[in-house]
Amino acid sequence: MLYTPRNPFTEQIFTYPAGANTLTDISKSNFNSSLPTKIIINGYLDDPDKSIWTKTMRDEFLHVSNCNVIFVDWSAGNGGNYDQNLKGLSLGKVHIIGHSLGAHTSGFVGHAFNGQIGRITGLDPAGFQGGLTCNHFRAIDFYAASINPNNPKGVAHQCPDYSAYMAGECDTDCADSVANCAIIGEQAVLSKPYESSTVGKRYYLSTNPSYPYFQG
């Protein structure tokens, strides 16, 4: 399902093979290959056409930028003709955002394209043991709030553990250039750690109970 500045609320649907009221040739749609493309992949048993969060994220993206937004309904588990579907698209302008099992799917897509995808974001990737101890959809709320650059940024502090963070042992002046702080969400590209590996490092931040959540 494709949304653009020309059709922000009414989707253009692509299926393989073509079905009723659907397209197979993206060149006949409102897709603009010169614009950044946001691809949103839902999780297990989630329906992108009925989910509130996918529409919220779509609205946030189209409100602050000119871009293509694509919802992927992978419930049937089938693939399409990539050569035709991605004609004229610069993979470096593609940002894939996956939630839950969709986060794993995003990783598989990145692997399939040999790491050429510009950016991949995994929101609370699904585990295989079950028994989640947190709100599985809270990561979506945080990410959606981070899209608007006018909202407070989610600035996290590098800290060895949560107890040390709560004790104030890791407080620092988190300017964007400080390496031991990180901005989370859509604005993560503005922070220093985005430029290098954060593997093995832990970052903590405090949030508010309601939108826009972050304290800056």
Side-chain angles (χ1 to χ4, degrees), residues 103-124:
H104 296 284
T105 304
S106 301
F108 286 126
V109 173
H111 179 73
F113 285 97
N114 299 313
Q116 298 179 68
I117 302 296
R119 182 178 176 184
I120 295 176
T121 299
L123 301 177
D124 204 1

Side-chain angles (χ1 to χ4, degrees), residues 13 99 108-109 112 130 139-140 167 209:
I13 300 176
H99 173 247
F108 286 126
V109 173
I140 295 171

Side-chain angles (χ1 to χ4, degrees), residues 35-115:
L35 298 178
T37 297
K38 304 291 184 177
I39 299 177
I40 299 174
I41 305 179
N42 57 280
Y44 183 60
L45 297 181
D46 201 359
D47 186 337
D49 189 40
K50 297 178 181 178
S51 296
I52 295 176
W53 75 265
T54 54
K55 293 179 174 61
T56 298
M57 200 169 288
R58 172 203 65 194
D59 294 345
E60 290 282 356
F61 277 126
L62 292 175
H63 176 69
V64 301
S65 64
N66 288 325
C67 63
N68 308 295
V69 177
I70 297 175
F71 294 169
V72 177
D73 182 359
W74 57 280
S75 57
N78 57 355
N81 184 333
Y82 287 118
D83 291 337
Q84 181 184 51
N85 199 27
L86 296 175
K87 186 177 181 180
L89 175 63
S90 170
L91 295 179
K93 293 183 178 180
V94 173
H95 179 191
I96 303 177
I97 303 160
H99 173 247
S100 189
L101 200 57
H104 296 284
T105 304
S106 301
F108 286 126
V109 173
H111 179 73
F113 285 97
N114 299 313

